Amino acid sequence: MKHGKKYVNSAKLVDKSKLYDPAEALDLAVKTATAKFDETVEVHVRLGVDSRHADQQVRGAVVLPNGTGKKVRVAVFAKGDMAKAAEEAGADIVGAEDLVARIQDEGFLDFDVAVAAPNMMGLVGRLGKVLGPRGLMPSPKAGTVTPDVAKAVVDAKSGKIEYRLDKTNIIHCPIGKASFGTQKLAENFKALLDAIVKAKPAATKGQYIRSCAVALTMGPGIKINPNRVSSVESAEA
């Protein structure tokens, strides 16, 4: 695979044989930002678990202290007072049977996060084949099936992200934009990794975090020492 000149120049800044400390890796990631747009910083963590077993699944959600830098569109499935509370909290789309029909019949998916009141899951469950593959299905584990829909909307707008293991035992998550700078990215990174460490399944044996790397949307991967990810130092330390 051939890379462009900017990527090649950025890659020269990265020592592929080195395992960086988190703050050092994030500082380097910011320096490799060369795109004309504000690139997203992504974290990729490989865990020592087996996703084929139910007792070794790793999934949850965390509110990043500095947000994601992305404007999040939130859809809420609710009625009555809950629907009103969701609207007042800033939800972009609120509905019940009408919203379900719109998604089923029109293919409407113009939102990034879906929240549902518990009494709406009988309806929302019909959308599993549509929302599930896109990572939009509300889930109690992610805090998106809740009676407090207003808080869920505020959290989503404030930078709440969901993390979950894929079939290759890797978690992929955005933690902000290159423009955030090292300090804010380090704070977001720590929040995410602390949550992943806290979610360690009891059935896990051996080393839990096998490898970790950060990369910009258009940049090279930067390997992080897996023994340092749960104790991120601030950039000023």
Side-chain angles (χ1 to χ4, degrees):
M1 181 179 177
K2 289 186 177 181
H3 293 288
K5 186 177 180 180
K6 290 183 179 179
Y7 180 97
V8 171
N9 289 336
S10 294
K12 290 178 181 178
L13 300 174
V14 181
D15 183 347
K16 292 183 178 181
S17 64
K18 181 177 178 179
L19 294 177
Y20 292 88
D21 278 352
E24 186 181 11
L26 292 166
D27 184 52
L28 187 54
V30 171
K31 290 177 180 176
T32 63
T34 57
K36 293 181 180 180
F37 60 93
D38 194 5
E39 296 179 68
T40 297
V41 181
E42 301 168 351
V43 176
H44 309 277
V45 186
R46 185 166 65 89
L47 301 180
V49 297
D50 189 340
S51 61
R52 294 174 297 178
H53 299 289
D55 62 350
Q56 294 188 49
Q57 288 293 326
V58 179
R59 180 179 182 180
V62 60
V63 177
L64 299 179
N66 300 299
T68 63
K70 177 183 177 181
K71 184 179 179 181
V72 179
R73 299 163 299 174
V74 182
V76 178
F77 297 91
K79 292 181 177 180
D81 291 342
M82 286 189 183
K84 183 178 179 181
E87 290 174 348
E88 291 175 350
D92 299 273
I93 307 121
V94 180
E97 288 87 353
D98 57 330
L99 180 54
V100 171
R102 191 177 175 191
I103 293 170
Q104 283 182 322
D105 302 337
E106 302 173 23
F108 175 75
L109 291 167
D110 193 18
F111 51 90
D112 306 297
V113 176
V115 173
N119 62 359
M120 294 299 299
M121 286 308 294
L123 276 174
V124 180
R126 303 173 190 172
L127 303 174
K129 291 184 179 180
V130 178
L131 300 182
R134 294 169 175 80
L136 293 172
M137 192 67 183
S139 160
K141 286 187 176 181
T144 47
V145 176
T146 172
D148 194 348
V149 292
K151 183 178 184 301
V153 171
V154 172
D155 284 348
K157 294 278 187 179
S158 299
K160 184 176 184 178
I161 60 168
E162 183 179 355
Y163 59 88
R164 62 185 302 174
L165 208 60
D166 69 10
K167 293 180 180 179
T168 61
N169 304 319
I170 298 175
I171 289 174
H172 310 272
C173 276
I175 58 165
K177 299 290 185 178
S179 62
F180 280 22
T182 307
Q183 180 67 34
K184 289 184 177 180
L185 288 171
E187 291 169 358
N188 282 358
F189 179 91
K190 185 178 188 304
L192 172 63
L193 268 295
D194 281 352
I196 292 173
V197 170
K198 188 176 181 180
K200 178 181 178 180
T204 303
K205 296 180 180 179
Q207 186 174 356
Y208 179 49
I209 296 181
R210 296 289 178 84
S211 66
C212 180
V214 294
L216 292 173
T217 307
M218 306 295 287
I222 303 167
K223 296 178 183 177
I224 293 176
N225 186 338
N227 297 318
R228 297 284 293 159
V229 297
S230 60
S231 56
V232 184
E233 299 174 339
S234 71
E236 297 175 352

